[in-house]
Amino acid sequence: MTTTERLQDIYARMYDRLGPQHWWPGETPFEVMVGAVLTQNTNWKNVERAIDNLKGVGLLSLAALSALPVGLLAEYIRPAGYYNIKAGRLHNLLTHINQTHQGDLQAFLHQPLEPFREALLSIKGIGPETADSILLYAANLPIFVVDTYTHRILSRHQVIDEEFGYQEIQELFMDHLECDLQLYNEYHALLVRVGNVYCKKTNPDCAACPLQGV
Ligand code: SF4
């Protein structure tokens, strides 16, 4: 099997069993961006609680959140963990949008992929996974998002070497699959589902997993 065929086979097995995942779980591009920052090192339920806190007091907008002191923002997002650090990162992202696009979120989200990615990565606290999640799920730009589940699943099936880094894994997908926004969207979401439910760090449930036999 070629690498392309292997990646297509993995996708087909996950999709056939699990179906569409309807990602990203957020109502607006801004909510997706906030979620992408908050989800670092925590599970999604905690992120939802933090976002609900912001929604509950009408703060889930660029203008409202930008006007909020960082210390208060940290209190609202406390359920997401590392709340002081994440409040700082969110603040950095909001400041960047306000400084470069005068608070025009639509204009911010309509930038060409490569300079947009570079700009996001230049913001303190925004790494490749967060940047690419914003690009793919908030800005609808075709870039493959890599996370620890992606690395674990692919290395356990010897599609990649254990020591492959973020960029190498991203290139593997983007070099061997067609450049398709919907495919990238669904593929990453399915890998997260498989990693979350079956391919745990210890005691993976291979018997029940859609990828058994790959
Ligand atoms: S749980 Fe087992 S079969 Fe499923 S992806 Fe992980 S290693 Fe593969």
Side-chain angles (χ1 to χ4, degrees):
M1 251 190 188
T2 63
T3 302
T4 296
E5 286 167 342
R6 294 194 75 189
L7 293 176
Q8 288 171 338
D9 178 48
I10 288 170
Y11 179 77
R13 286 173 189 251
M14 294 190 297
Y15 190 85
D16 289 351
R17 172 85 78 82
L18 303 171
Q21 302 298 299
H22 307 291
W23 266 43
W24 176 290
E27 290 173 359
T28 64
F30 186 70
E31 184 175 332
V32 171
M33 289 172 53
V34 172
V37 173
L38 296 184
T39 199
Q40 297 165 349
N41 304 309
T42 193
N43 66 51
W44 187 252
K45 283 226 172 314
N46 294 335
V47 176
E48 280 181 329
R49 287 170 57 213
I51 287 179
D52 285 348
N53 281 352
L54 294 171
K55 267 189 191 170
V57 289
L59 283 172
L60 201 56
S61 71
L62 177 60
L65 223 50
S66 302
L68 194 67
V70 186
L72 205 46
L73 172 58
E75 286 306 313
Y76 282 113
I77 65 167
R78 185 182 274 261
Y82 303 101
Y83 48 92
N84 283 320
I85 293 171
K86 290 180 181 178
R89 289 175 178 170
L90 264 178
H91 175 76
N92 294 343
L93 175 60
L94 302 178
T95 301
H96 173 86
I97 299 169
N98 288 324
Q99 286 180 347
T100 60
H101 289 81
Q102 294 72 48
D104 185 342
L105 189 61
Q106 285 309 311
F108 174 73
L109 291 171
H110 281 88
Q111 301 180 69
L113 178 56
E114 283 187 23
F116 194 1
R117 187 172 195 264
E118 267 180 42
L120 284 170
L121 290 174
S122 74
I123 301 168
K124 193 166 178 231
I126 303 294
E129 185 184 340
T130 307
D132 291 338
S133 297
I134 291 171
L135 293 167
L136 178 62
Y137 293 107
N140 290 322
L141 290 166
I143 189 145
F144 204 92
V145 179
V146 175
D147 68 350
T148 48
Y149 293 136
T150 317
H151 180 274
R152 186 186 305 157
I153 293 166
L154 262 58
S155 59
R156 280 180 173 169
H157 286 275
Q158 288 94 48
V159 179
I160 59 167
D161 291 335
E162 185 83 32
E163 60 271 13
F164 265 35
Y166 190 100
Q167 196 180 327
E168 286 169 295
I169 301 173
Q170 183 177 63
E171 282 173 6
L172 181 92
F173 280 98
M174 297 186 69
D175 288 349
H176 291 93
L177 293 174
E178 57 180 316
C179 181
D180 181 328
L181 174 65
Q182 190 50 39
L183 175 66
Y184 291 176
N185 176 318
E186 200 66 68
Y187 208 139
H188 174 65
L190 285 162
L191 286 169
V192 171
R193 176 89 178 273
V194 167
N196 201 15
V197 176
Y198 307 101
C199 201
K200 297 181 185 294
K201 200 170 179 182
T202 55
N203 301 321
D205 187 2
C206 297
C209 179
L211 297 184
Q212 191 203 23
V214 165

